Amino acid sequence: MQYEAGNFDVIVIGAGHAGCEAGLAAARLGAKTLMITINLDMVAFMPCNPSVGGPAKGIVVREIDALGGEMGKNIDKTHIQMRMLNTGKGPAVRALRAQADKFSYQHEMKKTIENEPNMTLLQGMVDRLLIEDEAVQGVITMTGAIYRSKTVVITTGTFLRGEIILGELKYSSGPNNQQPSIKLSEHLQELGFDLVRFKTGTPPRVNSHTIDYSKTEIQPGDEIPQAFSYETTKYITDQLPCWLTYTNERTHLLIDENLHRSPMYSGMIKGTGPRYCPSIEDKVVRFNDKPRHQIFLEPEGRNTQEVYVQGLSTSLPEDVQQQIMKTIPGLENVQMMRAGYAIEYDAIVPTQLWPTLETKKIKNLYTAGQINGTSGYEEAAGQGLMAGINAGRKALNREELILSRSDAYIGVLIDDLITKGTNEPYRLLTSRAEYRLLLRHDNADLRLTEIGHEMGLISEERYERFLKKKEQIEAEKLRLKSIILKPTEQVQELIQSMGGSELKDGIRASDLLKRPEMTYGHVETLAPNEISLDTDVKEQVEIQVKYEGYIEKSLQQVDRLKKMENKKIPENIDYNKITGLATEARQKLTQIKPLTLAQASRISGVNPADISILLVYIEQGRVARISNQ
């Protein structure tokens, strides 16, 4: 029996990494928010690897923080190890990665949500959406409770018709043996949404007491304190190490001999798995020339002996998993506490979404996270934040937010999904961003804090600190440009010690800093600043000065792109009436409904000739004339 249970501005279905960001963003904007999740003990749970960050993903976490999201703050409070990756490479690919205490992470996030004034957290199962006049009006739970709202965000992760596969065993389940969401998936199909079947996997967990660490290589965290959030001031110093070991020919032979028992190769698994996070069976088959693969042993927390066997994702039968681990150095006598498994689930085809993550089919309905075909906590959180901002702002009758590809990796992620779609679980990579020199780990605050403040998610105090930092960076760049360093004995000795060529004449301090062997610290000794600057200010000055030419070229490319982004495509356009368009282009443009000429140019199957025809058609005012006939 159904009954009226309450009225809200925003309802968020799910409390994973996307749901947490969506709910908190909406509530902090001032929207009365309800977050419904199947199990309150699973808020912000990490069913797969206990880590946050890494290449591209770590930059997304910084972007979430710069916009006023929670993931960066939460991992800073609960990690067991922090490392900056790719330090030997350029700034465009550097990224922070944290090993999480998965239990502390979820408990801290749940506490944050419970203490949010505009938030109501509820355990329940949503079976249906309340739809009137092709617009969502709320949700109906399995107990018959009707919750009404102005907007709804679906962040169901891998729970939609989830099925766990372990060897020859297959059963209905969400991740970690949780209850799956079946009726909501069926309801979305009834509403006319196109769904796809994806698959992801997880490795075994083993007992730390039974690992022989003497046969592995230690992987410690960084000694220098690091943080994802720009608000973090207290750093965790008592870090726990991870450990590295390898598979070998014995491991690979054992896997080859048991491929007939692998659900991936027997045909039991129908869903498409993530290309960039393959199972160990997949790695052995696809890269059969490699004699070994890396295996990282990652503690799951401070108060547990469970260790995550990173690199050994598998759905092979339990007995085979145990045999495989006995071939790996350090794991010969290991006790497996949880077997690895694969999980299949439903996702919606993301080209059915607008850039705001609102669905094209149902107004005021948003989706975010793995339901949109992505993999990874960070990609989910980034989408969740954007969906929460937009659902909250729409409920409050404010303008929604769209990030461009030149604004943030989050913009690249969403644009890729809604414009190109994906035929496998999507993973964000630095190579996906054409402006990656602009979208760096170190400058996320400079790119996005202004937007976060404008949205109402960045406090005045934090915004003032940000403005001061910006002023200091510009002032120091000007100072270095104004100082001429003469070829004195001190200057020549320093340059020689760094392997550089001596000066023949005076040089601007900024030009000396552009030399590859020179750092800001070197230049600072020759041209001291009376004002004490923070480390992150010095870092910005060095990067902006050193890469000035490359950054300027990237900015010029962005300006050219913005001209195309400003070419709006009228909503009432009928592509079937445009003569000269290729058939595939006509079909794709009609399906995706791009908002701008730039978005249209990124659609697979739409070529430059089609864009030229479309541009002429729009500029000649043909759309307006045809619609007025």
Side-chain angles (χ1 to χ4, degrees), residues 162-173 197-201 261-264 266 268-271 314-317 321 340-345:
E163 288 184 307
I164 281 182
I165 302 108
L166 175 54
E168 295 88 0
L169 177 66
K170 185 174 187 177
Y171 58 94
S172 179
S173 175
R197 197 78 173 151
F198 280 166
K199 165 255 172 188
T200 188
R261 298 184 67 194
S262 167
M264 284 186 61
S266 68
M268 183 181 284
I269 289 178
K270 307 293 183 188
T314 183
S315 56
L316 282 162
Q321 293 186 35
Y341 62 86
I343 183 167
E344 283 188 324
Y345 57 95

PDB file of all heavy atoms in Angstrom, residues 162-173 197-201 261-264 266 268-271 314-317 321 340-345:
ATOM      1  N   GLY A 162      22.376  -6.336 -10.545  1.00  0.00           N
ATOM      2  CA  GLY A 162      23.718  -6.873 -10.337  1.00  0.00           C
ATOM      3  C   GLY A 162      23.718  -8.387 -10.199  1.00  0.00           C
ATOM      4  O   GLY A 162      22.813  -8.975  -9.596  1.00  0.00           O
ATOM      5  N   GLU A 163      24.737  -9.003 -10.793  1.00  0.00           N
ATOM      6  CA  GLU A 163      24.934 -10.452 -10.671  1.00  0.00           C
ATOM      7  C   GLU A 163      26.407 -10.729 -10.413  1.00  0.00           C
ATOM      8  O   GLU A 163      27.272 -10.247 -11.158  1.00  0.00           O
ATOM      9  CB  GLU A 163      24.502 -11.170 -11.954  1.00  0.00           C
ATOM     10  CG  GLU A 163      23.001 -11.207 -12.167  1.00  0.00           C
ATOM     11  CD  GLU A 163      22.633 -12.017 -13.404  1.00  0.00           C
ATOM     12  OE1 GLU A 163      23.173 -11.727 -14.488  1.00  0.00           O
ATOM     13  OE2 GLU A 163      21.824 -12.950 -13.290  1.00  0.00           O
ATOM     14  N   ILE A 164      26.687 -11.499  -9.377  1.00  0.00           N
ATOM     15  CA  ILE A 164      28.060 -11.870  -9.056  1.00  0.00           C
ATOM     16  C   ILE A 164      28.392 -13.200  -9.717  1.00  0.00           C
ATOM     17  O   ILE A 164      27.579 -14.134  -9.710  1.00  0.00           O
ATOM     18  CB  ILE A 164      28.267 -11.928  -7.527  1.00  0.00           C
ATOM     19  CG1 ILE A 164      28.440 -10.497  -6.988  1.00  0.00           C
ATOM     20  CG2 ILE A 164      29.459 -12.792  -7.138  1.00  0.00           C
ATOM     21  CD1 ILE A 164      28.688 -10.385  -5.515  1.00  0.00           C
ATOM     22  N   ILE A 165      29.594 -13.261 -10.313  1.00  0.00           N
ATOM     23  CA  ILE A 165      30.043 -14.483 -10.980  1.00  0.00           C
ATOM     24  C   ILE A 165      31.365 -14.903 -10.358  1.00  0.00           C
ATOM     25  O   ILE A 165      32.323 -14.122 -10.302  1.00  0.00           O
ATOM     26  CB  ILE A 165      30.210 -14.274 -12.497  1.00  0.00           C
ATOM     27  CG1 ILE A 165      28.892 -13.798 -13.123  1.00  0.00           C
ATOM     28  CG2 ILE A 165      30.661 -15.552 -13.174  1.00  0.00           C
ATOM     29  CD1 ILE A 165      28.894 -12.377 -13.543  1.00  0.00           C
ATOM     30  N   LEU A 166      31.415 -16.133  -9.886  1.00  0.00           N
ATOM     31  CA  LEU A 166      32.619 -16.696  -9.274  1.00  0.00           C
ATOM     32  C   LEU A 166      32.753 -18.130  -9.775  1.00  0.00           C
ATOM     33  O   LEU A 166      32.033 -19.030  -9.327  1.00  0.00           O
ATOM     34  CB  LEU A 166      32.513 -16.640  -7.750  1.00  0.00           C
ATOM     35  CG  LEU A 166      33.622 -17.300  -6.916  1.00  0.00           C
ATOM     36  CD1 LEU A 166      34.994 -16.788  -7.314  1.00  0.00           C
ATOM     37  CD2 LEU A 166      33.386 -17.054  -5.434  1.00  0.00           C
ATOM     38  N   GLY A 167      33.650 -18.324 -10.750  1.00  0.00           N
ATOM     39  CA  GLY A 167      33.772 -19.652 -11.351  1.00  0.00           C
ATOM     40  C   GLY A 167      32.497 -20.056 -12.046  1.00  0.00           C
ATOM     41  O   GLY A 167      31.940 -19.314 -12.861  1.00  0.00           O
ATOM     42  N   GLU A 168      31.976 -21.241 -11.690  1.00  0.00           N
ATOM     43  CA  GLU A 168      30.730 -21.723 -12.293  1.00  0.00           C
ATOM     44  C   GLU A 168      29.496 -21.196 -11.561  1.00  0.00           C
ATOM     45  O   GLU A 168      28.364 -21.455 -11.950  1.00  0.00           O
ATOM     46  CB  GLU A 168      30.686 -23.265 -12.281  1.00  0.00           C
ATOM     47  CG  GLU A 168      31.752 -23.935 -13.144  1.00  0.00           C
ATOM     48  CD  GLU A 168      33.065 -24.184 -12.399  1.00  0.00           C
ATOM     49  OE1 GLU A 168      33.146 -23.840 -11.197  1.00  0.00           O
ATOM     50  OE2 GLU A 168      34.005 -24.709 -13.029  1.00  0.00           O
ATOM     51  N   LEU A 169      29.726 -20.416 -10.482  1.00  0.00           N
ATOM     52  CA  LEU A 169      28.636 -19.898  -9.648  1.00  0.00           C
ATOM     53  C   LEU A 169      28.209 -18.511 -10.131  1.00  0.00           C
ATOM     54  O   LEU A 169      29.046 -17.648 -10.396  1.00  0.00           O
ATOM     55  CB  LEU A 169      29.113 -19.809  -8.192  1.00  0.00           C
ATOM     56  CG  LEU A 169      28.144 -19.221  -7.159  1.00  0.00           C
ATOM     57  CD1 LEU A 169      26.931 -20.119  -6.981  1.00  0.00           C
ATOM     58  CD2 LEU A 169      28.866 -19.003  -5.828  1.00  0.00           C
ATOM     59  N   LYS A 170      26.886 -18.319 -10.239  1.00  0.00           N
ATOM     60  CA  LYS A 170      26.350 -17.016 -10.635  1.00  0.00           C
ATOM     61  C   LYS A 170      25.075 -16.765  -9.852  1.00  0.00           C
ATOM     62  O   LYS A 170      24.193 -17.617  -9.803  1.00  0.00           O
ATOM     63  CB  LYS A 170      26.056 -16.996 -12.141  1.00  0.00           C
ATOM     64  CG  LYS A 170      25.607 -15.645 -12.683  1.00  0.00           C
ATOM     65  CD  LYS A 170      25.485 -15.709 -14.208  1.00  0.00           C
ATOM     66  CE  LYS A 170      25.201 -14.349 -14.806  1.00  0.00           C
ATOM     67  NZ  LYS A 170      25.147 -14.375 -16.277  1.00  0.00           N
ATOM     68  N   TYR A 171      24.989 -15.592  -9.205  1.00  0.00           N
ATOM     69  CA  TYR A 171      23.788 -15.307  -8.426  1.00  0.00           C
ATOM     70  C   TYR A 171      23.509 -13.813  -8.399  1.00  0.00           C
ATOM     71  O   TYR A 171      24.410 -12.979  -8.571  1.00  0.00           O
ATOM     72  CB  TYR A 171      23.902 -15.861  -7.005  1.00  0.00           C
ATOM     73  CG  TYR A 171      25.083 -15.348  -6.198  1.00  0.00           C
ATOM     74  CD1 TYR A 171      24.956 -14.256  -5.350  1.00  0.00           C
ATOM     75  CD2 TYR A 171      26.325 -15.992  -6.283  1.00  0.00           C
ATOM     76  CE1 TYR A 171      26.029 -13.806  -4.604  1.00  0.00           C
ATOM     77  CE2 TYR A 171      27.403 -15.546  -5.538  1.00  0.00           C
ATOM     78  CZ  TYR A 171      27.251 -14.453  -4.705  1.00  0.00           C
ATOM     79  OH  TYR A 171      28.328 -14.001  -3.969  1.00  0.00           O
ATOM     80  N   SER A 172      22.244 -13.456  -8.178  1.00  0.00           N
ATOM     81  CA  SER A 172      21.807 -12.064  -8.154  1.00  0.00           C
ATOM     82  C   SER A 172      22.345 -11.380  -6.899  1.00  0.00           C
ATOM     83  O   SER A 172      22.115 -11.831  -5.786  1.00  0.00           O
ATOM     84  CB  SER A 172      20.276 -12.020  -8.174  1.00  0.00           C
ATOM     85  OG  SER A 172      19.821 -10.689  -8.128  1.00  0.00           O
ATOM     86  N   SER A 173      23.071 -10.268  -7.087  1.00  0.00           N
ATOM     87  CA  SER A 173      23.670  -9.575  -5.947  1.00  0.00           C
ATOM     88  C   SER A 173      24.279  -8.257  -6.382  1.00  0.00           C
ATOM     89  O   SER A 173      24.728  -8.114  -7.519  1.00  0.00           O
ATOM     90  CB  SER A 173      24.770 -10.440  -5.311  1.00  0.00           C
ATOM     91  OG  SER A 173      25.433  -9.725  -4.272  1.00  0.00           O
ATOM     92  N   ARG A 197      24.910  -3.784 -20.740  1.00  0.00           N
ATOM     93  CA  ARG A 197      25.379  -4.690 -19.680  1.00  0.00           C
ATOM     94  C   ARG A 197      26.895  -4.584 -19.589  1.00  0.00           C
ATOM     95  O   ARG A 197      27.612  -4.877 -20.554  1.00  0.00           O
ATOM     96  CB  ARG A 197      24.949  -6.121 -20.014  1.00  0.00           C
ATOM     97  CG  ARG A 197      25.012  -7.094 -18.839  1.00  0.00           C
ATOM     98  CD  ARG A 197      23.839  -6.912 -17.926  1.00  0.00           C
ATOM     99  NE  ARG A 197      23.817  -7.952 -16.888  1.00  0.00           N
ATOM    100  CZ  ARG A 197      23.295  -7.761 -15.705  1.00  0.00           C
ATOM    101  NH1 ARG A 197      22.751  -6.607 -15.394  1.00  0.00           N
ATOM    102  NH2 ARG A 197      23.288  -8.740 -14.815  1.00  0.00           N
ATOM    103  N   PHE A 198      27.405  -4.122 -18.449  1.00  0.00           N
ATOM    104  CA  PHE A 198      28.840  -4.009 -18.231  1.00  0.00           C
ATOM    105  C   PHE A 198      29.274  -4.959 -17.121  1.00  0.00           C
ATOM    106  O   PHE A 198      28.453  -5.497 -16.378  1.00  0.00           O
ATOM    107  CB  PHE A 198      29.232  -2.579 -17.865  1.00  0.00           C
ATOM    108  CG  PHE A 198      29.339  -1.648 -19.056  1.00  0.00           C
ATOM    109  CD1 PHE A 198      29.409  -0.275 -18.871  1.00  0.00           C
ATOM    110  CD2 PHE A 198      29.367  -2.136 -20.349  1.00  0.00           C
ATOM    111  CE1 PHE A 198      29.506   0.584 -19.952  1.00  0.00           C
ATOM    112  CE2 PHE A 198      29.461  -1.292 -21.448  1.00  0.00           C
ATOM    113  CZ  PHE A 198      29.529   0.077 -21.236  1.00  0.00           C
ATOM    114  N   LYS A 199      30.580  -5.124 -17.030  1.00  0.00           N
ATOM    115  CA  LYS A 199      31.145  -6.040 -16.032  1.00  0.00           C
ATOM    116  C   LYS A 199      32.387  -5.410 -15.421  1.00  0.00           C
ATOM    117  O   LYS A 199      33.145  -4.699 -16.094  1.00  0.00           O
ATOM    118  CB  LYS A 199      31.500  -7.364 -16.728  1.00  0.00           C
ATOM    119  CG  LYS A 199      32.416  -8.298 -15.934  1.00  0.00           C
ATOM    120  CD  LYS A 199      33.840  -8.281 -16.479  1.00  0.00           C
ATOM    121  CE  LYS A 199      34.784  -9.052 -15.570  1.00  0.00           C
ATOM    122  NZ  LYS A 199      36.210  -8.893 -15.955  1.00  0.00           N
ATOM    123  N   THR A 200      32.574  -5.635 -14.141  1.00  0.00           N
ATOM    124  CA  THR A 200      33.827  -5.249 -13.499  1.00  0.00           C
ATOM    125  C   THR A 200      34.212  -6.371 -12.547  1.00  0.00           C
ATOM    126  O   THR A 200      33.435  -7.305 -12.329  1.00  0.00           O
ATOM    127  CB  THR A 200      33.702  -3.892 -12.779  1.00  0.00           C
ATOM    128  OG1 THR A 200      35.002  -3.484 -12.343  1.00  0.00           O
ATOM    129  CG2 THR A 200      32.766  -3.972 -11.583  1.00  0.00           C
ATOM    130  N   GLY A 201      35.403  -6.299 -12.009  1.00  0.00           N
ATOM    131  CA  GLY A 201      35.865  -7.398 -11.160  1.00  0.00           C
ATOM    132  C   GLY A 201      36.684  -6.899  -9.998  1.00  0.00           C
ATOM    133  O   GLY A 201      37.050  -5.728  -9.913  1.00  0.00           O
ATOM    134  N   ARG A 261      37.564 -22.977 -17.155  1.00  0.00           N
ATOM    135  CA  ARG A 261      36.715 -22.767 -15.977  1.00  0.00           C
ATOM    136  C   ARG A 261      36.476 -21.278 -15.689  1.00  0.00           C
ATOM    137  O   ARG A 261      35.807 -20.940 -14.725  1.00  0.00           O
ATOM    138  CB  ARG A 261      37.358 -23.436 -14.751  1.00  0.00           C
ATOM    139  CG  ARG A 261      37.512 -24.950 -14.890  1.00  0.00           C
ATOM    140  CD  ARG A 261      38.065 -25.547 -13.615  1.00  0.00           C
ATOM    141  NE  ARG A 261      37.119 -25.436 -12.501  1.00  0.00           N
ATOM    142  CZ  ARG A 261      37.448 -25.642 -11.224  1.00  0.00           C
ATOM    143  NH1 ARG A 261      38.709 -25.968 -10.908  1.00  0.00           N
ATOM    144  NH2 ARG A 261      36.536 -25.526 -10.270  1.00  0.00           N
ATOM    145  N   SER A 262      37.058 -20.421 -16.539  1.00  0.00           N
ATOM    146  CA  SER A 262      36.896 -18.972 -16.351  1.00  0.00           C
ATOM    147  C   SER A 262      35.587 -18.507 -16.962  1.00  0.00           C
ATOM    148  O   SER A 262      35.329 -18.752 -18.144  1.00  0.00           O
ATOM    149  CB  SER A 262      38.063 -18.225 -17.014  1.00  0.00           C
ATOM    150  OG  SER A 262      37.767 -16.843 -17.107  1.00  0.00           O
ATOM    151  N   PRO A 263      34.725 -17.833 -16.199  1.00  0.00           N
ATOM    152  CA  PRO A 263      33.454 -17.332 -16.753  1.00  0.00           C
ATOM    153  C   PRO A 263      33.651 -16.379 -17.929  1.00  0.00           C
ATOM    154  O   PRO A 263      32.793 -16.259 -18.789  1.00  0.00           O
ATOM    155  CB  PRO A 263      32.826 -16.592 -15.567  1.00  0.00           C
ATOM    156  CG  PRO A 263      33.499 -17.113 -14.362  1.00  0.00           C
ATOM    157  CD  PRO A 263      34.880 -17.505 -14.773  1.00  0.00           C
ATOM    158  N   MET A 264      34.824 -15.725 -17.973  1.00  0.00           N
ATOM    159  CA  MET A 264      35.097 -14.811 -19.074  1.00  0.00           C
ATOM    160  C   MET A 264      35.251 -15.547 -20.389  1.00  0.00           C
ATOM    161  O   MET A 264      34.916 -15.031 -21.457  1.00  0.00           O
ATOM    162  CB  MET A 264      36.388 -14.027 -18.799  1.00  0.00           C
ATOM    163  CG  MET A 264      36.245 -12.928 -17.786  1.00  0.00           C
ATOM    164  SD  MET A 264      37.752 -11.969 -17.683  1.00  0.00           S
ATOM    165  CE  MET A 264      37.871 -11.342 -19.357  1.00  0.00           C
ATOM    166  N   SER A 266      34.301 -18.959 -20.796  1.00  0.00           N
ATOM    167  CA  SER A 266      33.296 -20.014 -20.984  1.00  0.00           C
ATOM    168  C   SER A 266      31.997 -19.462 -21.568  1.00  0.00           C
ATOM    169  O   SER A 266      31.114 -20.222 -21.966  1.00  0.00           O
ATOM    170  CB  SER A 266      32.992 -20.692 -19.638  1.00  0.00           C
ATOM    171  OG  SER A 266      32.323 -19.784 -18.772  1.00  0.00           O
ATOM    172  N   MET A 268      29.950 -17.456 -19.778  1.00  0.00           N
ATOM    173  CA  MET A 268      28.999 -17.141 -18.704  1.00  0.00           C
ATOM    174  C   MET A 268      28.864 -15.625 -18.514  1.00  0.00           C
ATOM    175  O   MET A 268      27.782 -15.115 -18.262  1.00  0.00           O
ATOM    176  CB  MET A 268      29.447 -17.802 -17.390  1.00  0.00           C
ATOM    177  CG  MET A 268      28.453 -17.567 -16.249  1.00  0.00           C
ATOM    178  SD  MET A 268      28.987 -18.323 -14.693  1.00  0.00           S
ATOM    179  CE  MET A 268      28.627 -20.039 -15.005  1.00  0.00           C
ATOM    180  N   ILE A 269      29.993 -14.906 -18.668  1.00  0.00           N
ATOM    181  CA  ILE A 269      29.961 -13.445 -18.547  1.00  0.00           C
ATOM    182  C   ILE A 269      29.606 -12.846 -19.900  1.00  0.00           C
ATOM    183  O   ILE A 269      30.281 -13.080 -20.898  1.00  0.00           O
ATOM    184  CB  ILE A 269      31.327 -12.898 -18.052  1.00  0.00           C
ATOM    185  CG1 ILE A 269      31.536 -13.277 -16.579  1.00  0.00           C
ATOM    186  CG2 ILE A 269      31.405 -11.386 -18.226  1.00  0.00           C
ATOM    187  CD1 ILE A 269      32.860 -12.832 -16.005  1.00  0.00           C
ATOM    188  N   LYS A 270      28.533 -12.086 -19.932  1.00  0.00           N
ATOM    189  CA  LYS A 270      28.072 -11.454 -21.169  1.00  0.00           C
ATOM    190  C   LYS A 270      28.494  -9.980 -21.238  1.00  0.00           C
ATOM    191  O   LYS A 270      28.638  -9.410 -22.314  1.00  0.00           O
ATOM    192  CB  LYS A 270      26.539 -11.513 -21.273  1.00  0.00           C
ATOM    193  CG  LYS A 270      25.949 -12.920 -21.100  1.00  0.00           C
ATOM    194  CD  LYS A 270      26.342 -13.840 -22.237  1.00  0.00           C
ATOM    195  CE  LYS A 270      25.675 -15.216 -22.073  1.00  0.00           C
ATOM    196  NZ  LYS A 270      26.184 -16.184 -23.061  1.00  0.00           N
ATOM    197  N   GLY A 271      28.633  -9.333 -20.076  1.00  0.00           N
ATOM    198  CA  GLY A 271      28.927  -7.899 -20.030  1.00  0.00           C
ATOM    199  C   GLY A 271      30.344  -7.589 -20.461  1.00  0.00           C
ATOM    200  O   GLY A 271      31.255  -8.424 -20.381  1.00  0.00           O
ATOM    201  N   THR A 314      40.025 -11.265 -10.651  1.00  0.00           N
ATOM    202  CA  THR A 314      39.706 -12.546 -11.288  1.00  0.00           C
ATOM    203  C   THR A 314      38.303 -13.014 -10.941  1.00  0.00           C
ATOM    204  O   THR A 314      37.745 -12.622  -9.912  1.00  0.00           O
ATOM    205  CB  THR A 314      40.723 -13.627 -10.860  1.00  0.00           C
ATOM    206  OG1 THR A 314      40.428 -14.841 -11.549  1.00  0.00           O
ATOM    207  CG2 THR A 314      40.679 -13.877  -9.355  1.00  0.00           C
ATOM    208  N   SER A 315      37.747 -13.842 -11.823  1.00  0.00           N
ATOM    209  CA  SER A 315      36.480 -14.517 -11.534  1.00  0.00           C
ATOM    210  C   SER A 315      36.647 -16.027 -11.663  1.00  0.00           C
ATOM    211  O   SER A 315      35.668 -16.763 -11.787  1.00  0.00           O
ATOM    212  CB  SER A 315      35.385 -14.017 -12.493  1.00  0.00           C
ATOM    213  OG  SER A 315      35.778 -14.198 -13.843  1.00  0.00           O
ATOM    214  N   LEU A 316      37.906 -16.470 -11.654  1.00  0.00           N
ATOM    215  CA  LEU A 316      38.174 -17.916 -11.677  1.00  0.00           C
ATOM    216  C   LEU A 316      37.612 -18.576 -10.419  1.00  0.00           C
ATOM    217  O   LEU A 316      37.422 -17.911  -9.398  1.00  0.00           O
ATOM    218  CB  LEU A 316      39.686 -18.170 -11.774  1.00  0.00           C
ATOM    219  CG  LEU A 316      40.311 -17.997 -13.166  1.00  0.00           C
ATOM    220  CD1 LEU A 316      41.814 -17.843 -13.068  1.00  0.00           C
ATOM    221  CD2 LEU A 316      39.951 -19.177 -14.074  1.00  0.00           C
ATOM    222  N   PRO A 317      37.347 -19.886 -10.453  1.00  0.00           N
ATOM    223  CA  PRO A 317      36.807 -20.567  -9.262  1.00  0.00           C
ATOM    224  C   PRO A 317      37.703 -20.386  -8.037  1.00  0.00           C
ATOM    225  O   PRO A 317      38.914 -20.180  -8.164  1.00  0.00           O
ATOM    226  CB  PRO A 317      36.743 -22.034  -9.697  1.00  0.00           C
ATOM    227  CG  PRO A 317      36.675 -21.994 -11.176  1.00  0.00           C
ATOM    228  CD  PRO A 317      37.468 -20.801 -11.601  1.00  0.00           C
ATOM    229  N   GLN A 321      41.860 -19.822  -7.565  1.00  0.00           N
ATOM    230  CA  GLN A 321      42.444 -18.605  -6.988  1.00  0.00           C
ATOM    231  C   GLN A 321      43.453 -18.953  -5.901  1.00  0.00           C
ATOM    232  O   GLN A 321      44.529 -18.350  -5.810  1.00  0.00           O
ATOM    233  CB  GLN A 321      41.339 -17.706  -6.427  1.00  0.00           C
ATOM    234  CG  GLN A 321      40.414 -17.109  -7.480  1.00  0.00           C
ATOM    235  CD  GLN A 321      39.423 -16.119  -6.881  1.00  0.00           C
ATOM    236  OE1 GLN A 321      39.740 -15.387  -5.941  1.00  0.00           O
ATOM    237  NE2 GLN A 321      38.215 -16.075  -7.428  1.00  0.00           N
ATOM    238  N   GLY A 340      38.113 -13.362  -5.041  1.00  0.00           N
ATOM    239  CA  GLY A 340      37.812 -12.369  -6.065  1.00  0.00           C
ATOM    240  C   GLY A 340      36.556 -12.786  -6.820  1.00  0.00           C
ATOM    241  O   GLY A 340      36.175 -13.956  -6.824  1.00  0.00           O
ATOM    242  N   TYR A 341      35.893 -11.842  -7.462  1.00  0.00           N
ATOM    243  CA  TYR A 341      34.678 -12.158  -8.221  1.00  0.00           C
ATOM    244  C   TYR A 341      34.469 -11.114  -9.308  1.00  0.00           C
ATOM    245  O   TYR A 341      35.065 -10.028  -9.280  1.00  0.00           O
ATOM    246  CB  TYR A 341      33.449 -12.196  -7.299  1.00  0.00           C
ATOM    247  CG  TYR A 341      33.131 -10.891  -6.609  1.00  0.00           C
ATOM    248  CD1 TYR A 341      32.348  -9.907  -7.226  1.00  0.00           C
ATOM    249  CD2 TYR A 341      33.620 -10.613  -5.325  1.00  0.00           C
ATOM    250  CE1 TYR A 341      32.066  -8.708  -6.605  1.00  0.00           C
ATOM    251  CE2 TYR A 341      33.341  -9.408  -4.694  1.00  0.00           C
ATOM    252  CZ  TYR A 341      32.567  -8.455  -5.340  1.00  0.00           C
ATOM    253  OH  TYR A 341      32.301  -7.262  -4.720  1.00  0.00           O
ATOM    254  N   ALA A 342      33.629 -11.426 -10.264  1.00  0.00           N
ATOM    255  CA  ALA A 342      33.184 -10.455 -11.271  1.00  0.00           C
ATOM    256  C   ALA A 342      31.754 -10.067 -10.948  1.00  0.00           C
ATOM    257  O   ALA A 342      31.019 -10.838 -10.327  1.00  0.00           O
ATOM    258  CB  ALA A 342      33.274 -11.056 -12.667  1.00  0.00           C
ATOM    259  N   ILE A 343      31.367  -8.872 -11.364  1.00  0.00           N
ATOM    260  CA  ILE A 343      29.975  -8.453 -11.194  1.00  0.00           C
ATOM    261  C   ILE A 343      29.484  -7.824 -12.497  1.00  0.00           C
ATOM    262  O   ILE A 343      30.166  -6.999 -13.093  1.00  0.00           O
ATOM    263  CB  ILE A 343      29.797  -7.481  -9.996  1.00  0.00           C
ATOM    264  CG1 ILE A 343      28.320  -7.123  -9.811  1.00  0.00           C
ATOM    265  CG2 ILE A 343      30.654  -6.240 -10.144  1.00  0.00           C
ATOM    266  CD1 ILE A 343      28.007  -6.431  -8.493  1.00  0.00           C
ATOM    267  N   GLU A 344      28.331  -8.293 -12.957  1.00  0.00           N
ATOM    268  CA  GLU A 344      27.670  -7.722 -14.136  1.00  0.00           C
ATOM    269  C   GLU A 344      26.536  -6.818 -13.655  1.00  0.00           C
ATOM    270  O   GLU A 344      25.882  -7.114 -12.651  1.00  0.00           O
ATOM    271  CB  GLU A 344      27.101  -8.818 -15.024  1.00  0.00           C
ATOM    272  CG  GLU A 344      28.127  -9.543 -15.858  1.00  0.00           C
ATOM    273  CD  GLU A 344      27.474 -10.475 -16.863  1.00  0.00           C
ATOM    274  OE1 GLU A 344      26.430 -11.083 -16.555  1.00  0.00           O
ATOM    275  OE2 GLU A 344      28.025 -10.617 -17.962  1.00  0.00           O
ATOM    276  N   TYR A 345      26.285  -5.740 -14.393  1.00  0.00           N
ATOM    277  CA  TYR A 345      25.266  -4.783 -13.968  1.00  0.00           C
ATOM    278  C   TYR A 345      24.772  -3.996 -15.180  1.00  0.00           C
ATOM    279  O   TYR A 345      25.415  -3.976 -16.240  1.00  0.00           O
ATOM    280  CB  TYR A 345      25.843  -3.821 -12.921  1.00  0.00           C
ATOM    281  CG  TYR A 345      27.079  -3.079 -13.409  1.00  0.00           C
ATOM    282  CD1 TYR A 345      26.976  -1.802 -13.965  1.00  0.00           C
ATOM    283  CD2 TYR A 345      28.345  -3.667 -13.332  1.00  0.00           C
ATOM    284  CE1 TYR A 345      28.100  -1.138 -14.425  1.00  0.00           C
ATOM    285  CE2 TYR A 345      29.461  -3.003 -13.789  1.00  0.00           C
ATOM    286  CZ  TYR A 345      29.343  -1.743 -14.343  1.00  0.00           C
ATOM    287  OH  TYR A 345      30.453  -1.079 -14.813  1.00  0.00           O
TER     288      TYR A 345
END
